[in-house]
């Protein structure tokens, strides 16, 4: 039997946890090292004054990708991470006071559009949903869940690329959505997801409508206990399958042998862990700065276009929101195009911002004292490449958000709070103060995005939003699996039967 191959995973965010689950399930000897005292990465849970805040992603889509990682470690999604579907997935509220609920299921959403936008757009939605599904079926196996070594790898799937071209995936998202629907509110509802990719709908490729498919068609889910339950379940599964989890410990440098090949890591305690391979989930510029200071980062890492950032206000408030408030609420500003020009082109605050308000206590009342609410308020803002001085802008931003809560029926008597600006994101190790990494421009997408290997350091593999396939909960989960695939390719040979499978036969 071949010896166990040792792998160190740096970081217990979703990409690192997914990588650890896949690796330990394939028979590798895995040690996961995390500087915080619990799993979660940038979504670490915060407890304050009786309130519980999930500080990372709030929208859970594509739970089967979590299920894949859990299953790799011998745990089922149903047993480890019970979830319930949120219906509506979102409440969309517009500047004229109207609203549209994003309902689950094509027929339910068709009826919602018929009631709010008319029969023509309702009929169009049925075909639109079918188009989204076709996009997803082409993109996921060929362009998302795939490792690339160079742009020439696109030629390995010529039929898929041709199909994506026929579907209009290389056109611009905004114009494509306008061709599907008459009502301007639907243009916004089905294209705002471009912002997840760090772009405006007018510049994002239509292939990013796959994000719309993930939440508007497949649905948005709520894990019992809150979003923190996702990293907690993955960490538990990895540990049960045999991975060693080392919390409250930081990696200070990579240990390389005389050939420049990965040989392990050194911890802040001075201890060295031997490893045949290392999976690093730090934001790429931070990874090169802290762990590879002698190497010049790839050009796109140094000088690529980084996504806008976000101000996130975590609020513990007295009382409940107005009737009709949903778990997720998107408030669209009036000047849609002008807001994107300000944010992305001019790198200034949106003059008429759109905002997301998540109220997790509507689904999980135990996150707050009885009768009170947890609010997650997000406004997109420029990253730190702008001229905004957040030491001075912080309080005016808070006051504007407070006024927004009051005007829109949310509880506004603040009992506890935490305001996160681009400065705080930067302090967490995120380049240019954005948690969304490199924008998904054409030349920063797929094989053009920074790869998860640096050939100068054999045995080092990257995972997370800065590398392939990109930003968002589904993408970083896939990123962890792709990193595990890279480790397997780097260390070929027979594997012992995965620990998670032993005793089943």
């Amino acid at each position: 039997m071949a010896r166990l191959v040792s792998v160190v995973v740096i970081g217990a965010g979703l990409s690192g946890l997914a990588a650890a689950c896949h690796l330990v399930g394939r028979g590798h000897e895995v040690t996961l090292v995390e500087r915080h005292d619990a799993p979660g990465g940038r979504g670490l849970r915060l407890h304050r004054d009786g309130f519980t805040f999930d500080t990372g992603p709030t929208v859970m889509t594509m739970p089967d990708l979590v299920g894949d990682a859990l299953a790799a470690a011998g745990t089922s999604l149903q047993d480890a991470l019970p979830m319930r579907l949120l219906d509506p997935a979102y409440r969309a509220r517009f500047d004229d006071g109207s609203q549209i609920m994003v309902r689950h299921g094509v027929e339910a959403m068709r009826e919602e559009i018929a009631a709010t936008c008319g029969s023509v757009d309702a009929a169009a939605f049925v075909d639109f949903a079918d188009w989204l599904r076709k996009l997803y079926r082409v993109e996921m196996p060929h362009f998302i869940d795939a490792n690339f070594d160079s742009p020439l790898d696109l030629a390995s799937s010529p039929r898929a690329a041709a199909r994506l071209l026929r579907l209009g995936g290389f056109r611009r998202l905004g114009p494509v959505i306008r061709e599907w629907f008459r009502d301007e509110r639907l243009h916004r509802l089905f294209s705002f997801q471009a912002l997840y990719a760090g772009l405006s709908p007018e510049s994002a490729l239509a292939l990013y409508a796959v994000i719309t498919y993930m939440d508007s068609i497949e649905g948005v889910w709520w894990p019992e206990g809150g979003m923190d339950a996702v990293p907690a379940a993955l960490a538990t599964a990895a540990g049960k399958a045999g991975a060693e989890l080392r919390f409250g410990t930081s990696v200070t440098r990579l240990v390389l042998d005389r050939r420049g090949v990965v040989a392990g890591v050194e911890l802040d305690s001075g201890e060295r862990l031997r490893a045949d391979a290392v999976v690093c989930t730090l934001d790429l510029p931070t990874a090169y700065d802290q762990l590879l200071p002698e190497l010049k980062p790839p050009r796109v890492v140094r000088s690529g276009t980084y996504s806008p950032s976000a101000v996130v206000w975590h609020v513990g408030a007295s009382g409940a929101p107005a009737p009709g408030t949903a778990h997720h609420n998107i408030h669209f500003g009036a000047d849609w195009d002008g807001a994107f020009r300000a944010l992305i082109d001019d790198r200034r605050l949106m003059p008429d911002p759109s905002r997301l308000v998540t109220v997790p206590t509507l689904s999980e009342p135990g996150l707050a004292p009885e009768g009170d609410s947890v609010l997650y308020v997000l406004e997109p803002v420029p990253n730190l490449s702008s001229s905004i001085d957040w030491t001075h802008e912080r309080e005016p931003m808070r006051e504007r958000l407070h006024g927004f809560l009051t005007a829109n029926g949310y509880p506004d008597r603040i009992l506890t709070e935490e305001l996160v600006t681009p400065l705080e994101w930067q302090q967490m190790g995120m380049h240019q103060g954005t948690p969304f990494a490199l924008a998904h421009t054409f030349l920063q997408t797929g094989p053009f995005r920074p790869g998860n290997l640096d050939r100068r350091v054999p045995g080092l593999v990257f995972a997370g939003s800065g590398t392939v396939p990109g930003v968002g909960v589904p993408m970083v989960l896939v990123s962890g699996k792709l990193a595990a695939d890279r480790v397997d390719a780097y260390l070929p040979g027979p594997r012992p039967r995965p620990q998670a499978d032993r005793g089943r036969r």
Side-chain angles (χ1 to χ4, degrees), residues 61 193-194 196-197 207-216 471 475:
T61 62
Q193 294 86 352
Y196 295 153
L207 58 86
Y208 284 110
V210 71
I211 307 174
T212 307
Y213 170 82
M214 290 176 178
D215 57 24
S216 298
V471 178
M475 301 304 175

Side-chain angles (χ1 to χ4, degrees), residues 159-171:
R159 290 184 179 180
R163 183 161 174 75
L164 191 57
L165 181 64
R166 288 196 301 272
L167 287 168
F170 295 106
R171 296 179 60 200

